[in-house]
Amino acid sequence: MTLDQATIAALAARLEEAEHKRAPLTKITDEYPHLDWDDAYAIQEAIRASKIKAGVRIAGLKCGLTSQAKMKQMNVTEPVFGFLCDYGAYPDGGEVPFDKFIAPRIEAEVAFVTHTELSGPGCHIAQVLAATEFVMPAVEILDSRYRDFKFDLISVVADNTSAAGFVTGGRARCIEELDLPTLGLVVEKNGRIVELAAAAAVLGHPATSVAMLANNLARRGQVIPAGSFIMTGGITAAIGIERGDAISVRFQDLGSVSLRFV
Ligand code: 0L1
Ligand code: MG
């Protein structure tokens, strides 16, 4: 940890303001080049605490940069972890106000809902499978608070991993009914196929993401509580969005999720 509490609070406030005003920043490591992972997660925690103080409810947890497609797209090598807010939940088949974002992108994911607490260190895929109530298809809306997506991993973690919204839909299914790694999906934008992939793109099995999240939280003395909703990371690369774009993702065995930016 390189930062004092006052600087952590100031950087958290700066990122919060960028989100509220939709006024993007330059990445914070330009000003603080020695920021480390602990600083980044401390800033993210401060953002979370300030949102909760303002009445926001935490809707879930997220894993990011968990697929080769995403890591290649962002030129990084490690997953990152963040949280989801109640105000970011949009209905399946609904309209999403484009003006709420700076430069939104979307990605298709598998979400898990757990019935048992998961804790690290040493959490592994078998414990995640045993703790899973059901899985469901989801689309994450990303929106970096950094100008032109010019960021590094430390800055992205501080910015709550670009979390901005999510849509769930389709069918909730018991995990044992599915062969999750071979589950395919097709992403359409304005009726044209723009991405297709299988869920194994996420670390071989999306449950691995959940185990990594539990192990990451353990470093900060936290757990994944029972009943958590967890987005496991984009299976495809993120897709840029313009006003008016309609997105539809068809998931094998899980139904579809759609949204339109207006
Ligand atoms: O969910 C994610 O994969 C987070 C990615 C963070 C970087 C980005 O904005 O794409
Ligand atoms: Mg994501």
Side-chain angles (χ1 to χ4, degrees), residues 69 73 105-108 139 185-198 235-242 245-250 257 259 261:
Q73 186 180 35
R105 291 162 291 144
I106 63 95
E107 55 191 21
V139 170
L185 63 89
V186 177
V187 184
E188 289 176 358
K189 178 165 137 180
N190 304 326
R192 298 177 69 167
I193 294 173
V194 287
E195 289 283 347
L196 35 95
I235 298 168
T236 61
I239 297 155
I241 294 293
E242 285 168 26
D245 281 345
I247 296 292
S248 174
V249 187
R250 282 179 284 144
V257 178
L259 61 155
F261 286 82

Side-chain angles (χ1 to χ4, degrees), residues 1 30 67 69 83 90 94 105 127 143 155 178 180 182 186 197 206-207 220 226 233 236 244 251:
M1 180 85 99
D30 287 351
S67 70
F83 62 89
Y90 293 94
R105 291 162 291 144
Q127 289 165 328
D143 195 29
S155 298
L178 303 167
L180 209 46
T182 64
V186 177
R220 286 170 278 141
T236 61
F251 291 78

